Each structure stands twice: as C-alpha cells, then as structure tokens.
Amino acid sequence: MSASLRIAVLPGDGIGPEITAATRSVLEALNRKFALGLRFEEHAIGHASLERAGTTAHRGSITGIYTVLVEGDDLNDPVADALRAALDGHIVLSRDLAAANHFPAIDVLGSVSRLAGHLLDPRELRAAGALRECLATYRDARDLVAIGAYVRGSDARIDRALGALEPINGFLRQERGERTPRAETMRRLLTLVPPVTPHGEPTAPGMATGGRG
C-alpha cells in the first residue's frame, strides 16, 4: 500500500499511557502483517507536557500557558491540585464573578503567583498584599454585613475592607480591549487601600481611590 496514515498518539495521564501502549502494540502488529502504512506520532499532553516547560542550561526555555477545566469547579480535583504544585502560578476564574458581570472574572484570593517576589518591588508587594487582605476580610465578614449584624467601628480591618471594596472592584474590572500601562496600574494599586494607623484604625476614606488594572 503506497498511501500512509498518520496517527497522533496522545498518552495523557493516569491509566492513559497503559491503554495507549496496549492499543498501539495491536495496531503496530496489524500494520506489519497487512502493510497498512500506519505512522505513529506521539505528542505530550496532560502532565507530561508540563515537564517539557521550563529552563534548561544553555538550551533556552519553554514557556507554557495551560487551560485546566475542573469538574464542578472543584479546585481540589487531583489533576488541578497536581498542576498547582507544578506551575509558577495560576489564575482561577470564578463562575460567581462572571454571573455578577465582573470581568475579567478572576478570583484574586484563589489565584497565586510564585514569581511576584521577583517582579514587584517591596512597595508594590505590600500594596498587593493589602488588597488581598481586604478581600479576605470582607469575604469572612460578608454574611454579617449582609444581615446587618455588623456595626461600623467594631473592627478596624472590616471597616477598612468595606471602605475599599468598591474601589477594589472597580480596579479589578476591565473592559474588553482596554489597555492600561503597568506604571499607571501600579500607581493606582499603591493608592487603592488606605493604610491602618498605629492605633488600628483606617485612614480617611478619601485616600482610597479606584481605577482599572
């Protein structure tokens, strides 16, 4: 047979490599016996593809951006959990934020960058940390606030989070096609969350200004 048929082999993860190897051995036997003209091309997918990314001495580097879908939005899914351990960072998209028309629908508290310490200066790191602290504080107090059980002045950190929440949400929203230079984004971030005074009280609410990142 003059014509040939190329077959892409994608072993994947879990029991995928075992099943793939068994199937390929059968096809190769048939190919030898009947001269089917089969050609096999193996490509790495799943966790195997992650092992190819990174930096090697004197041979350059491979940078990859991977999209991972998890069943039922369960971030503790074994595959998602393994990927979080292997990657330099991850961005978690939230169905709830998308439903609230908050785009990009990035769950800041669920997302992590292990390179932030190398890419941000100390002031920027502190400002990013303060933003995350406000979001975490509001998340913990949200139910109390929703039912009217929280009284302003009871907790300085909750007061700060409530005062900064609207500017933070404005900063985190971005229109499709909108572009903001890094310098402008960092300037807004540095003035976004009011610092807490030595007495544990937030500064004047007017100091918290919003913007889009």
Side-chain angles (χ1 to χ4, degrees):
M1 181 180 292
S2 57
S4 63
L5 178 64
R6 292 191 303 169
I7 298 179
V9 181
L10 308 173
D13 297 318
I15 63 173
E18 299 176 17
I19 296 175
T20 301
T23 304
R24 180 171 178 173
S25 66
V26 173
L27 292 175
E28 287 176 339
L30 293 172
N31 189 42
R32 288 191 299 269
K33 183 173 182 178
F34 298 105
L36 300 177
L38 303 181
R39 294 168 49 199
F40 298 91
E41 298 178 359
E42 186 164 323
H43 301 275
I45 63 171
H47 201 274
S49 67
L50 299 179
E51 297 174 351
R52 301 178 57 189
T55 303
T56 58
H58 311 299
R59 298 185 64 181
S61 64
I62 299 176
T63 300
I65 299 177
Y66 304 91
T67 300
V68 182
L69 301 178
V70 295
E71 184 176 357
D73 296 336
D74 181 11
L75 296 181
N76 293 319
D77 174 87
V79 173
D81 199 43
L83 292 176
R84 286 206 306 267
L87 299 175
D88 288 328
H90 53 270
I91 297 174
V92 176
L93 299 181
S94 166
R95 194 186 305 270
D96 291 339
L97 287 176
N101 196 36
H102 181 119
F103 294 101
I106 296 174
D107 179 357
V108 173
L109 295 179
S111 304
V112 171
S113 171
R114 295 189 176 91
L115 300 179
H118 301 284
L119 301 175
L120 304 179
D121 66 33
R123 291 178 66 233
E124 293 168 347
L125 275 175
R126 287 194 296 270
L131 184 149
R132 294 175 68 92
E133 286 176 9
C134 279
L135 289 177
T137 299
Y138 175 74
R139 179 191 61 188
D140 294 341
R142 178 170 49 195
D143 291 343
L144 288 176
V145 174
I147 64 175
Y150 177 73
V151 179
R152 290 268 188 171
S154 302
D155 188 305
R157 296 196 176 277
I158 296 179
D159 291 342
R160 179 177 75 153
L162 292 175
L165 183 63
E166 186 174 344
I168 287 175
N169 283 333
F171 176 78
L172 296 176
R173 279 187 167 99
Q174 192 169 25
E175 298 292 338
R176 183 189 297 270
E178 182 180 354
R179 300 289 184 270
T180 304
R182 183 187 186 280
E184 175 65 13
T185 298
M186 290 298 106
R187 184 192 68 79
R188 293 174 178 175
L189 175 63
L190 290 170
T191 59
L192 189 62
V193 178
V196 174
T197 68
H199 302 290
E201 299 175 353
T203 55
M207 292 187 63
T209 58
R212 293 191 174 100

